[in-house]
Amino acid sequence: MSVLFEAYEFSGIKMRNRFVRSATVNNLTNEENRFTPEHRKLYTDLARGGLGLIIAGVHRPKREWFLGHVYQQPCLDMPTMEEEMGALVDEVHRLGAAFVSQISPPFKIRGRQVSASATDVSVVPEPLEQEDIAEIKTAYRNAGRVLRSAGCDGVELHCCHNDVLSRMISPFFNQRKDQYGGSVENRARLVLELVQELKEGAGDDFPVMIKMNASDFREGGMTVDDAAEIAAILATGGICAIEPSCGGAGASYTPSGPIEKDEWHEGYLIEYAARIKKAVDVPVMVVGGIRDLKMMEEVVDTGKGDLISMCRPFIREPDLINRWLSGDTSPSRCESCDGCLKETMRGRKVRCVQVTRVDGTRKEN
Ligand SMILES: Cc1cc2nc3c(=O)[nH]c(=O)nc-3n(C[C@H](O)[C@H](O)[C@H](O)COP(=O)(O)O)c2cc1C
Ligand code: SF4
């Protein structure tokens, strides 16, 4: 059997195979930003479908940061969140999958849109102030406590796709003159401080991973060599796995791949992940348009990555891994059309528009 289907363990996280469900906005929360029975169905379907690790979310450490955002996300500071999430995590564990929560920093804090510096493309944000940073640290520490007591196997920091952490590590967006700006060490500083806060809340042994941009894909931005240097600093500072991603304001890539259709190809981040893998000694989760088992095997066999992470294929086929295990090894049926993404960007519940109607019923095909 392929190495992809063999058990894998890192930092105490036991996976039955090397397949990861990459974090996916689902818009399934209720008006109190809590988990609902629809989350239970989503995650138990994914676990039943054979995945090794589910990265759930994205989740917000603090509800107040959620100002005017179209996405509806569970907020970890809601009372009794650990019990609510704990019940979900228990079920996923019983079905054989590991469960990690992805958490996202604020776009707005104390009522203002913030960034690393007052640099942007369309909206000019305000730079993070010391008071903002203190608030973020407290919220991450609390998130660590909640996720640990809910039984999560770890946490993944969202540091990509234009969020404030991805802007902190970027030489284009981060023009700061304080201890958080300038050198790669300074640009990585806030992320490392948040790793420590999470571990303060959750315990020193709690696995903290990161989804970080592998490049800014824009002039003056972070190159893949910069990203590799930052990844090495983070891995030394307590990050236990890295998922290189892409996308942000003014970039030539979105998280779904190159904007120019001619440049799009399956596995569009594999070579970037391979560059980062050379710089670190922690597992690298390769994500980005990977659809074919042969390509996945090659990634692992050639040492370009350790784990295979996918998002859209599991929206289309939550039971994809079991399909492959049953002997039907044809590629994922996802057409990478981004219909699912557009639905969530409209504030609607996530669905594969090719096979599911708005009311949740299956189309004939
Ligand atoms: C509907 C949708 C929601 C997404 N939500 C998130 C998210 O919450 N956090 C995140 O890091 N990436 C998110 N992404 C990006 C994916 O995790 C993934 O990096 C990207 O889609 C490329 O992988 P794929 O080709 O396997 O889909 C989302 C993508 C889609 C299509
Ligand atoms: S809507 Fe398109 S991109 Fe999304 S899962 Fe379906 S086929 Fe894939």
Side-chain angles (χ1 to χ4, degrees), residues 21-26 55-59 71 73 102 104 156-161 211 243-246 254-257 264 267-269 286-291 309-315 334 336 338-345 350-351:
R21 197 296 290 252
S22 199
T24 307
V25 164
N26 52 57
I55 303 184
V58 61
H59 303 142
Y71 299 127
Q73 299 153 350
Q102 187 189 60
S104 172
E156 182 181 69
L157 292 172
H158 191 286
C159 176
C160 50
H161 314 167
K211 188 166 181 181
E243 187 179 18
S245 190
C246 53
T254 72
S256 310
W264 200 95
Y268 49 84
L269 285 174
V286 187
V287 74
I290 310 178
R291 306 288 180 260
S309 185
M310 289 173 275
C311 161
R312 291 167 287 179
F314 296 118
I315 300 175
C334 172
S336 306
D338 270 348
C340 47
L341 184 65
K342 286 177 193 141
E343 282 296 278
T344 58
M345 288 169 81
V350 70
R351 68 181 170 109

Short mmCIF file of all heavy atoms in Angstrom, two decimals, residues 21-26 55-59 71 73 102 104 156-161 211 243-246 254-257 264 267-269 286-291 309-315 334 336 338-345 350-351, ligand 1:
data_model
loop_
_atom_site.label_atom_id
_atom_site.label_comp_id
_atom_site.label_asym_id
_atom_site.label_seq_id
_atom_site.Cartn_x
_atom_site.Cartn_y
_atom_site.Cartn_z
N ARG A 21 -7.28 17.56 6.10
CA ARG A 21 -8.30 18.47 5.55
C ARG A 21 -7.85 19.89 5.94
O ARG A 21 -7.78 20.23 7.11
CB ARG A 21 -9.67 18.16 6.18
CG ARG A 21 -10.90 18.73 5.41
CD ARG A 21 -11.01 20.23 5.34
NE ARG A 21 -11.32 20.85 6.60
CZ ARG A 21 -12.48 21.40 6.92
NH1 ARG A 21 -13.45 21.48 6.05
NH2 ARG A 21 -12.67 21.95 8.11
N SER A 22 -7.54 20.70 4.94
CA SER A 22 -7.09 22.07 5.19
C SER A 22 -8.28 22.90 5.69
O SER A 22 -9.42 22.66 5.29
CB SER A 22 -6.54 22.64 3.88
OG SER A 22 -5.72 23.74 4.14
N ALA A 23 -7.99 23.90 6.54
CA ALA A 23 -9.07 24.70 7.14
C ALA A 23 -9.99 25.29 6.07
O ALA A 23 -9.52 25.72 5.00
CB ALA A 23 -8.47 25.82 7.98
N THR A 24 -11.28 25.32 6.37
CA THR A 24 -12.28 25.73 5.38
C THR A 24 -13.40 26.49 6.07
O THR A 24 -14.10 25.92 6.92
CB THR A 24 -12.87 24.48 4.69
OG1 THR A 24 -11.81 23.68 4.18
CG2 THR A 24 -13.83 24.84 3.57
N VAL A 25 -13.60 27.74 5.71
CA VAL A 25 -14.74 28.52 6.21
C VAL A 25 -16.03 27.78 5.83
O VAL A 25 -16.15 27.32 4.69
CB VAL A 25 -14.75 29.93 5.57
CG1 VAL A 25 -16.10 30.60 5.75
CG2 VAL A 25 -13.65 30.80 6.15
N ASN A 26 -16.95 27.66 6.78
CA ASN A 26 -18.18 26.92 6.44
C ASN A 26 -19.47 27.71 6.66
O ASN A 26 -20.53 27.31 6.19
CB ASN A 26 -18.22 25.59 7.20
CG ASN A 26 -18.01 25.80 8.69
OD1 ASN A 26 -18.74 26.54 9.33
ND2 ASN A 26 -17.00 25.14 9.24
N ILE A 55 -8.27 19.88 10.01
CA ILE A 55 -8.01 21.22 10.55
C ILE A 55 -9.34 21.97 10.45
O ILE A 55 -9.83 22.26 9.37
CB ILE A 55 -6.87 21.94 9.82
CG1 ILE A 55 -5.60 21.08 9.90
CG2 ILE A 55 -6.63 23.31 10.44
CD1 ILE A 55 -4.36 21.68 9.29
N ALA A 56 -9.93 22.20 11.62
CA ALA A 56 -11.28 22.78 11.67
C ALA A 56 -11.21 24.29 11.71
O ALA A 56 -10.25 24.86 12.21
CB ALA A 56 -12.01 22.26 12.90
N GLY A 57 -12.26 24.90 11.21
CA GLY A 57 -12.31 26.36 11.30
C GLY A 57 -12.26 26.98 9.93
O GLY A 57 -12.45 26.30 8.93
N VAL A 58 -12.05 28.24 9.96
CA VAL A 58 -11.28 29.01 10.91
C VAL A 58 -12.16 29.45 12.10
O VAL A 58 -13.35 29.72 11.92
CB VAL A 58 -10.63 30.21 10.20
CG1 VAL A 58 -11.62 31.13 9.61
CG2 VAL A 58 -9.66 30.95 11.04
N HIS A 59 -11.55 29.51 13.30
CA HIS A 59 -12.23 29.96 14.51
C HIS A 59 -11.61 31.28 14.98
O HIS A 59 -10.44 31.54 14.72
CB HIS A 59 -12.08 28.89 15.60
CG HIS A 59 -12.60 27.54 15.19
ND1 HIS A 59 -11.99 26.37 15.54
CD2 HIS A 59 -13.68 27.20 14.45
CE1 HIS A 59 -12.68 25.34 15.04
NE2 HIS A 59 -13.70 25.82 14.36
N TYR A 71 -18.04 36.29 6.98
CA TYR A 71 -17.91 34.91 7.45
C TYR A 71 -18.46 34.77 8.87
O TYR A 71 -18.22 35.62 9.72
CB TYR A 71 -16.43 34.49 7.46
CG TYR A 71 -15.79 34.52 6.11
CD1 TYR A 71 -14.63 35.22 5.90
CD2 TYR A 71 -16.37 33.86 5.04
CE1 TYR A 71 -14.03 35.25 4.65
CE2 TYR A 71 -15.78 33.89 3.78
CZ TYR A 71 -14.61 34.59 3.60
OH TYR A 71 -14.03 34.62 2.37
N GLN A 73 -18.09 32.65 12.06
CA GLN A 73 -17.16 31.67 12.61
C GLN A 73 -17.42 31.44 14.10
O GLN A 73 -17.75 32.39 14.81
CB GLN A 73 -15.72 32.19 12.46
CG GLN A 73 -15.34 32.40 11.03
CD GLN A 73 -14.28 33.47 10.86
OE1 GLN A 73 -13.94 34.19 11.77
NE2 GLN A 73 -13.76 33.54 9.66
N GLN A 102 -8.02 25.77 13.64
CA GLN A 102 -7.29 26.91 13.09
C GLN A 102 -7.85 28.19 13.70
O GLN A 102 -9.08 28.36 13.76
CB GLN A 102 -7.44 26.98 11.57
CG GLN A 102 -6.55 28.06 10.97
CD GLN A 102 -6.82 28.32 9.50
OE1 GLN A 102 -7.93 28.69 9.11
NE2 GLN A 102 -5.81 28.14 8.66
N SER A 104 -7.75 32.56 13.87
CA SER A 104 -7.44 33.69 13.00
C SER A 104 -7.30 34.98 13.80
O SER A 104 -8.09 35.24 14.71
CB SER A 104 -8.60 33.80 12.01
OG SER A 104 -8.48 34.95 11.25
N GLU A 156 -3.72 25.50 14.81
CA GLU A 156 -2.97 26.03 13.66
C GLU A 156 -3.18 27.54 13.61
O GLU A 156 -4.32 28.03 13.61
CB GLU A 156 -3.45 25.42 12.34
CG GLU A 156 -2.63 25.95 11.16
CD GLU A 156 -3.07 25.40 9.80
OE1 GLU A 156 -4.18 25.75 9.34
OE2 GLU A 156 -2.29 24.62 9.21
N LEU A 157 -2.07 28.28 13.54
CA LEU A 157 -2.16 29.74 13.40
C LEU A 157 -2.44 30.08 11.95
O LEU A 157 -1.73 29.62 11.05
CB LEU A 157 -0.83 30.38 13.80
CG LEU A 157 -0.41 30.30 15.26
CD1 LEU A 157 1.02 30.81 15.42
CD2 LEU A 157 -1.35 31.14 16.09
N HIS A 158 -3.45 30.90 11.72
CA HIS A 158 -3.71 31.45 10.39
C HIS A 158 -2.76 32.64 10.24
O HIS A 158 -2.88 33.63 10.95
CB HIS A 158 -5.18 31.90 10.32
CG HIS A 158 -5.67 32.26 8.96
ND1 HIS A 158 -5.32 33.41 8.32
CD2 HIS A 158 -6.50 31.61 8.11
CE1 HIS A 158 -5.93 33.45 7.14
NE2 HIS A 158 -6.64 32.37 6.98
N CYS A 159 -1.80 32.53 9.32
CA CYS A 159 -0.81 33.59 9.10
C CYS A 159 -0.63 33.70 7.58
O CYS A 159 0.45 33.53 7.04
CB CYS A 159 0.49 33.23 9.82
SG CYS A 159 1.84 34.38 9.55
N CYS A 160 -1.74 33.91 6.89
CA CYS A 160 -1.73 33.83 5.43
C CYS A 160 -2.91 34.64 4.88
O CYS A 160 -3.70 35.18 5.65
CB CYS A 160 -1.83 32.36 4.98
SG CYS A 160 -3.18 31.44 5.75
N HIS A 161 -3.00 34.69 3.55
CA HIS A 161 -4.19 35.25 2.86
C HIS A 161 -4.50 36.66 3.32
O HIS A 161 -5.67 36.99 3.50
CB HIS A 161 -5.43 34.35 3.06
CG HIS A 161 -5.16 32.89 2.87
ND1 HIS A 161 -6.04 31.90 3.25
CD2 HIS A 161 -4.09 32.24 2.32
CE1 HIS A 161 -5.53 30.71 2.97
NE2 HIS A 161 -4.34 30.90 2.39
N LYS A 211 -0.21 27.97 9.22
CA LYS A 211 -0.41 28.08 7.77
C LYS A 211 0.10 29.46 7.40
O LYS A 211 -0.47 30.48 7.82
CB LYS A 211 -1.89 27.93 7.42
CG LYS A 211 -2.15 27.84 5.93
CD LYS A 211 -3.58 27.35 5.67
CE LYS A 211 -3.91 27.22 4.21
NZ LYS A 211 -5.30 26.77 4.01
N GLU A 243 2.28 24.68 6.98
CA GLU A 243 1.45 24.48 5.79
C GLU A 243 1.63 25.73 4.91
O GLU A 243 0.99 26.75 5.14
CB GLU A 243 -0.02 24.31 6.21
CG GLU A 243 -0.95 23.94 5.07
CD GLU A 243 -2.40 23.74 5.51
OE1 GLU A 243 -2.80 24.20 6.62
OE2 GLU A 243 -3.16 23.14 4.74
N PRO A 244 2.51 25.67 3.90
CA PRO A 244 2.74 26.87 3.08
C PRO A 244 1.55 27.15 2.16
O PRO A 244 1.03 26.25 1.51
CB PRO A 244 3.98 26.49 2.26
CG PRO A 244 4.58 25.31 2.96
CD PRO A 244 3.42 24.58 3.56
N SER A 245 1.12 28.43 2.16
CA SER A 245 -0.05 28.81 1.36
C SER A 245 0.28 30.08 0.58
O SER A 245 1.45 30.46 0.46
CB SER A 245 -1.25 29.01 2.28
OG SER A 245 -2.44 29.15 1.55
N CYS A 246 -0.72 30.73 0.04
CA CYS A 246 -0.48 31.93 -0.76
C CYS A 246 -1.77 32.76 -0.83
O CYS A 246 -2.85 32.26 -0.54
CB CYS A 246 -0.05 31.53 -2.18
SG CYS A 246 -1.17 30.39 -2.99
N THR A 254 -4.10 33.86 -5.56
CA THR A 254 -5.07 33.78 -4.46
C THR A 254 -4.78 32.44 -3.77
O THR A 254 -3.98 31.65 -4.29
CB THR A 254 -6.52 33.78 -4.99
OG1 THR A 254 -6.76 32.51 -5.59
CG2 THR A 254 -6.77 34.90 -5.99
N PRO A 255 -5.46 32.15 -2.65
CA PRO A 255 -5.23 30.83 -2.05
C PRO A 255 -5.55 29.69 -3.02
O PRO A 255 -5.01 28.58 -2.89
CB PRO A 255 -6.21 30.81 -0.86
CG PRO A 255 -6.41 32.25 -0.53
CD PRO A 255 -6.34 33.00 -1.82
N SER A 256 -6.38 29.93 -4.02
CA SER A 256 -6.75 28.89 -4.99
C SER A 256 -5.75 28.76 -6.13
O SER A 256 -5.97 27.98 -7.05
CB SER A 256 -8.11 29.20 -5.60
OG SER A 256 -9.06 29.47 -4.64
N GLY A 257 -4.66 29.56 -6.12
CA GLY A 257 -3.63 29.42 -7.14
C GLY A 257 -3.43 30.68 -7.95
O GLY A 257 -4.01 31.74 -7.65
N TRP A 264 -2.07 28.46 -14.00
CA TRP A 264 -2.63 27.51 -13.03
C TRP A 264 -2.25 26.08 -13.40
O TRP A 264 -2.32 25.68 -14.56
CB TRP A 264 -4.16 27.63 -12.98
CG TRP A 264 -4.72 27.05 -11.69
CD1 TRP A 264 -5.01 27.74 -10.56
CD2 TRP A 264 -5.02 25.67 -11.41
NE1 TRP A 264 -5.47 26.89 -9.58
CE2 TRP A 264 -5.48 25.61 -10.07
CE3 TRP A 264 -4.93 24.48 -12.13
CZ2 TRP A 264 -5.87 24.43 -9.45
CZ3 TRP A 264 -5.30 23.29 -11.51
CH2 TRP A 264 -5.77 23.27 -10.19
N GLY A 267 -1.13 21.20 -8.06
CA GLY A 267 0.02 21.22 -7.15
C GLY A 267 0.86 22.49 -7.28
O GLY A 267 2.08 22.45 -7.21
N TYR A 268 0.17 23.63 -7.41
CA TYR A 268 0.87 24.89 -7.72
C TYR A 268 1.80 25.38 -6.62
O TYR A 268 2.60 26.29 -6.85
CB TYR A 268 -0.14 26.00 -8.12
CG TYR A 268 -1.29 26.17 -7.16
CD1 TYR A 268 -1.19 26.93 -6.01
CD2 TYR A 268 -2.51 25.53 -7.41
CE1 TYR A 268 -2.24 27.06 -5.13
CE2 TYR A 268 -3.58 25.65 -6.53
CZ TYR A 268 -3.45 26.41 -5.39
OH TYR A 268 -4.48 26.54 -4.51
N LEU A 269 1.72 24.79 -5.41
CA LEU A 269 2.63 25.23 -4.34
C LEU A 269 3.69 24.19 -3.98
O LEU A 269 4.48 24.41 -3.05
CB LEU A 269 1.83 25.61 -3.08
CG LEU A 269 1.07 26.94 -3.14
CD1 LEU A 269 0.20 27.12 -1.90
CD2 LEU A 269 2.02 28.12 -3.28
N VAL A 286 1.67 19.90 2.48
CA VAL A 286 1.62 20.53 1.15
C VAL A 286 0.17 20.68 0.72
O VAL A 286 -0.59 19.71 0.68
CB VAL A 286 2.41 19.70 0.13
CG1 VAL A 286 2.50 20.45 -1.20
CG2 VAL A 286 3.82 19.42 0.64
N VAL A 287 -0.21 21.92 0.40
CA VAL A 287 -1.59 22.22 -0.01
C VAL A 287 -1.57 22.96 -1.34
O VAL A 287 -0.53 23.48 -1.74
CB VAL A 287 -2.31 23.07 1.09
CG1 VAL A 287 -1.82 24.51 1.10
CG2 VAL A 287 -3.83 23.03 0.94
N GLY A 288 -2.70 23.00 -2.03
CA GLY A 288 -2.80 23.83 -3.23
C GLY A 288 -3.03 23.05 -4.50
O GLY A 288 -2.07 22.67 -5.18
N GLY A 289 -4.30 22.79 -4.81
CA GLY A 289 -4.65 22.20 -6.11
C GLY A 289 -4.11 20.80 -6.33
O GLY A 289 -3.87 20.42 -7.47
N ILE A 290 -3.94 20.05 -5.26
CA ILE A 290 -3.44 18.66 -5.42
C ILE A 290 -4.67 17.76 -5.56
O ILE A 290 -5.55 17.77 -4.69
CB ILE A 290 -2.57 18.23 -4.23
CG1 ILE A 290 -1.49 19.29 -3.97
CG2 ILE A 290 -1.93 16.89 -4.50
CD1 ILE A 290 -0.62 18.98 -2.78
N ARG A 291 -4.73 16.99 -6.64
CA ARG A 291 -5.94 16.22 -6.92
C ARG A 291 -5.67 14.75 -7.24
O ARG A 291 -6.59 13.94 -7.24
CB ARG A 291 -6.67 16.83 -8.15
CG ARG A 291 -6.99 18.31 -8.03
CD ARG A 291 -8.11 18.54 -7.02
NE ARG A 291 -8.47 19.95 -6.87
CZ ARG A 291 -8.05 20.72 -5.87
NH1 ARG A 291 -7.26 20.23 -4.92
NH2 ARG A 291 -8.42 21.98 -5.78
N SER A 309 -2.36 17.99 2.12
CA SER A 309 -3.48 18.76 2.65
C SER A 309 -4.38 19.23 1.50
O SER A 309 -3.87 19.67 0.46
CB SER A 309 -2.89 19.96 3.41
OG SER A 309 -3.89 20.68 4.05
N MET A 310 -5.67 19.08 1.69
CA MET A 310 -6.63 19.50 0.64
C MET A 310 -7.85 20.15 1.29
O MET A 310 -8.23 19.79 2.40
CB MET A 310 -7.10 18.29 -0.17
CG MET A 310 -6.05 17.71 -1.08
SD MET A 310 -6.62 16.16 -1.83
CE MET A 310 -6.18 14.98 -0.58
N CYS A 311 -8.46 21.04 0.52
CA CYS A 311 -9.67 21.72 0.99
C CYS A 311 -10.84 21.38 0.07
O CYS A 311 -11.75 20.64 0.43
CB CYS A 311 -9.42 23.22 1.03
SG CYS A 311 -10.88 24.24 1.07
N ARG A 312 -10.80 21.92 -1.16
CA ARG A 312 -11.94 21.77 -2.06
C ARG A 312 -12.29 20.32 -2.37
O ARG A 312 -13.49 19.99 -2.42
CB ARG A 312 -11.71 22.60 -3.33
CG ARG A 312 -11.75 24.10 -3.06
CD ARG A 312 -11.21 24.93 -4.23
NE ARG A 312 -9.76 24.82 -4.35
CZ ARG A 312 -9.04 25.42 -5.27
NH1 ARG A 312 -9.63 26.18 -6.18
NH2 ARG A 312 -7.72 25.29 -5.30
N PRO A 313 -11.32 19.42 -2.53
CA PRO A 313 -11.69 18.02 -2.79
C PRO A 313 -12.62 17.42 -1.73
O PRO A 313 -13.48 16.60 -2.05
CB PRO A 313 -10.34 17.30 -2.82
CG PRO A 313 -9.41 18.35 -3.35
CD PRO A 313 -9.87 19.62 -2.68
N PHE A 314 -12.48 17.88 -0.45
CA PHE A 314 -13.33 17.30 0.60
C PHE A 314 -14.68 18.01 0.69
O PHE A 314 -15.59 17.52 1.36
CB PHE A 314 -12.60 17.33 1.94
CG PHE A 314 -11.36 16.48 1.96
CD1 PHE A 314 -10.11 17.04 2.17
CD2 PHE A 314 -11.45 15.11 1.72
CE1 PHE A 314 -8.97 16.26 2.17
CE2 PHE A 314 -10.31 14.32 1.71
CZ PHE A 314 -9.06 14.89 1.94
N ILE A 315 -14.81 19.17 0.04
CA ILE A 315 -16.14 19.79 -0.05
C ILE A 315 -16.95 18.97 -1.05
O ILE A 315 -18.11 18.64 -0.84
CB ILE A 315 -16.05 21.27 -0.50
CG1 ILE A 315 -15.22 22.08 0.51
CG2 ILE A 315 -17.44 21.87 -0.67
CD1 ILE A 315 -14.97 23.53 0.10
N CYS A 334 -13.11 17.19 -7.76
CA CYS A 334 -13.20 18.65 -7.68
C CYS A 334 -12.63 19.27 -8.96
O CYS A 334 -11.54 18.91 -9.41
CB CYS A 334 -12.41 19.15 -6.48
SG CYS A 334 -12.27 20.94 -6.45
N SER A 336 -12.01 22.52 -9.27
CA SER A 336 -11.32 23.76 -8.88
C SER A 336 -12.01 24.99 -9.48
O SER A 336 -11.34 25.96 -9.85
CB SER A 336 -9.84 23.71 -9.31
OG SER A 336 -9.22 22.55 -8.80
N ASP A 338 -14.08 26.98 -7.89
CA ASP A 338 -14.23 27.98 -6.82
C ASP A 338 -15.66 28.41 -6.55
O ASP A 338 -15.90 29.42 -5.88
CB ASP A 338 -13.34 29.21 -7.06
CG ASP A 338 -11.97 29.03 -6.42
OD1 ASP A 338 -11.80 28.09 -5.62
OD2 ASP A 338 -11.07 29.82 -6.73
N GLY A 339 -16.63 27.64 -7.04
CA GLY A 339 -18.04 27.93 -6.71
C GLY A 339 -18.28 27.88 -5.21
O GLY A 339 -19.03 28.70 -4.66
N CYS A 340 -17.62 26.95 -4.53
CA CYS A 340 -17.79 26.82 -3.06
C CYS A 340 -17.27 28.07 -2.36
O CYS A 340 -17.89 28.59 -1.43
CB CYS A 340 -17.04 25.58 -2.56
SG CYS A 340 -15.36 25.45 -3.21
N LEU A 341 -16.13 28.57 -2.83
CA LEU A 341 -15.52 29.75 -2.22
C LEU A 341 -16.45 30.96 -2.40
O LEU A 341 -16.69 31.72 -1.47
CB LEU A 341 -14.16 30.02 -2.87
CG LEU A 341 -13.36 31.16 -2.29
CD1 LEU A 341 -12.97 30.87 -0.85
CD2 LEU A 341 -12.10 31.41 -3.11
N LYS A 342 -16.99 31.10 -3.61
CA LYS A 342 -17.88 32.24 -3.87
C LYS A 342 -19.11 32.18 -2.96
O LYS A 342 -19.58 33.21 -2.49
CB LYS A 342 -18.30 32.26 -5.35
CG LYS A 342 -17.14 32.73 -6.22
CD LYS A 342 -17.47 32.71 -7.69
CE LYS A 342 -16.18 32.87 -8.49
NZ LYS A 342 -16.13 32.05 -9.69
N GLU A 343 -19.63 30.97 -2.72
CA GLU A 343 -20.77 30.84 -1.81
C GLU A 343 -20.43 31.36 -0.42
O GLU A 343 -21.18 32.12 0.17
CB GLU A 343 -21.19 29.36 -1.69
CG GLU A 343 -21.98 28.85 -2.87
CD GLU A 343 -23.32 29.56 -3.03
OE1 GLU A 343 -24.28 29.19 -2.34
OE2 GLU A 343 -23.38 30.50 -3.85
N THR A 344 -19.26 30.95 0.10
CA THR A 344 -18.91 31.39 1.46
C THR A 344 -18.63 32.90 1.48
O THR A 344 -18.93 33.58 2.46
CB THR A 344 -17.70 30.62 2.04
OG1 THR A 344 -16.59 30.80 1.18
CG2 THR A 344 -18.00 29.15 2.21
N MET A 345 -18.09 33.42 0.38
CA MET A 345 -17.82 34.87 0.34
C MET A 345 -19.11 35.68 0.32
O MET A 345 -19.12 36.85 0.68
CB MET A 345 -16.94 35.21 -0.87
CG MET A 345 -15.52 34.73 -0.68
SD MET A 345 -14.54 34.81 -2.16
CE MET A 345 -14.08 36.52 -2.16
N VAL A 350 -21.18 26.65 3.16
CA VAL A 350 -20.29 26.04 2.18
C VAL A 350 -20.97 24.85 1.51
O VAL A 350 -21.68 24.09 2.14
CB VAL A 350 -18.95 25.61 2.85
CG1 VAL A 350 -19.13 24.43 3.79
CG2 VAL A 350 -17.90 25.32 1.80
N ARG A 351 -20.79 24.74 0.19
CA ARG A 351 -21.31 23.58 -0.55
C ARG A 351 -20.56 23.51 -1.87
O ARG A 351 -20.07 24.52 -2.39
CB ARG A 351 -22.82 23.71 -0.82
CG ARG A 351 -23.16 24.82 -1.79
CD ARG A 351 -24.66 24.97 -2.04
NE ARG A 351 -24.90 26.19 -2.79
CZ ARG A 351 -25.28 26.24 -4.06
NH1 ARG A 351 -25.51 25.14 -4.75
NH2 ARG A 351 -25.46 27.40 -4.67
C1 LIG B 1 -14.62 27.58 0.65
C2 LIG B 1 -13.20 27.79 1.09
C3 LIG B 1 -12.94 28.22 2.38
C4 LIG B 1 -11.63 28.37 2.83
N1 LIG B 1 -11.40 28.74 4.12
C5 LIG B 1 -10.13 28.78 4.59
C6 LIG B 1 -9.88 29.03 5.97
O1 LIG B 1 -10.77 29.22 6.78
N2 LIG B 1 -8.60 29.07 6.37
C7 LIG B 1 -7.55 28.84 5.52
O2 LIG B 1 -6.40 28.88 5.93
N3 LIG B 1 -7.76 28.59 4.22
C8 LIG B 1 -9.02 28.53 3.74
N4 LIG B 1 -9.24 28.23 2.42
C9 LIG B 1 -8.08 27.86 1.57
C10 LIG B 1 -7.90 26.34 1.57
O3 LIG B 1 -7.69 25.82 2.86
C11 LIG B 1 -6.73 25.88 0.66
O4 LIG B 1 -5.54 26.44 1.15
C12 LIG B 1 -6.93 26.27 -0.80
O5 LIG B 1 -8.28 26.09 -1.19
C13 LIG B 1 -6.06 25.42 -1.72
O6 LIG B 1 -6.27 24.04 -1.50
P1 LIG B 1 -7.24 23.12 -2.43
O7 LIG B 1 -6.78 23.30 -3.85
O8 LIG B 1 -7.03 21.73 -1.92
O9 LIG B 1 -8.61 23.62 -2.26
C14 LIG B 1 -10.55 28.10 1.95
C15 LIG B 1 -10.81 27.71 0.62
C16 LIG B 1 -12.11 27.54 0.20
C17 LIG B 1 -12.35 27.05 -1.20
#
